Amino acid sequence: MELEVVEGDITQQQVDAVVNAANRGMRGGGGVDGAIHRAGGPAVLEDCIRRFPNGLATGDAGWTTAGAMPAQWVIHVVGPNHNAGERDRSLLTSCYKRALEVADEVGARSVAFPLISAGVYGWPKEDAVAAAVDTLRATPTEVELARIVAFGGSTYELVRGYL
């Protein structure tokens, strides 16, 4: 699998699937989650309500339509909230593994990822990058392109330096 980093807006990526750093409730929120729900429109929320009436557990993943975004699917993952004391790194790496498994289930060959849990959930950015890159490289998948979409120049440089 090819692994790359770009700086930009995950909602505008021309890929088969975008990964959403969601909360357990799966009803929209701030950060990446809010951006994806705004860009995808009401179809994303409607699909979340229908497919995930009880939300998702931390470390798990599931898919919905991408609504009005260029992608076909949104793969929602629930990362650990470091600020709230969820510090088990295996929950963070599980998000990337499960996202690739879900991508394989739906047939997505190109997937755009945010840095999961590295925003408002407060996971230390350097470790978030290492967890993302190492897990994406180590996980068997049919996905041909995994793109990490960095929010901001400093995050882009951090990821680029790790690749």
Side-chain angles (χ1 to χ4, degrees), residues 21-96:
N23 58 54
R24 286 186 200 96
M26 306 290 293
R27 302 298 181 260
V32 171
D33 194 23
I36 284 176
H37 278 267
R38 284 188 300 277
V44 176
L45 179 58
E46 290 166 8
D47 216 8
C48 281
I49 292 168
R50 184 179 62 80
R51 297 179 55 80
F52 308 105
N54 301 312
L56 278 173
T58 302
D60 204 1
W63 65 271
T64 66
T65 180
M69 286 185 289
Q72 184 171 354
W73 299 283
V74 175
I75 300 173
H76 304 267
V77 299
V78 179
N81 187 337
H82 194 274
N83 290 334
E86 294 178 334
R87 309 239 166 121
D88 181 350
R89 192 175 192 262
S90 70
L91 292 172
L92 179 58
T93 59
S94 178
C95 291
Y96 292 98

Side-chain angles (χ1 to χ4, degrees), residues 3-15 17-19 32 111-116 136 146-152 155-156 159:
L3 182 57
E4 68 180 18
V5 61
V6 299
E7 182 182 354
D9 180 347
I10 197 162
T11 68
Q12 299 300 312
Q13 300 301 304
Q14 300 285 330
V15 292
V18 296
V19 174
V32 171
V111 182
F113 289 84
L115 270 185
I116 298 162
L136 290 170
R147 176 181 299 152
I148 297 173
V149 181
F151 186 72
T155 302
Y156 169 81
V159 176

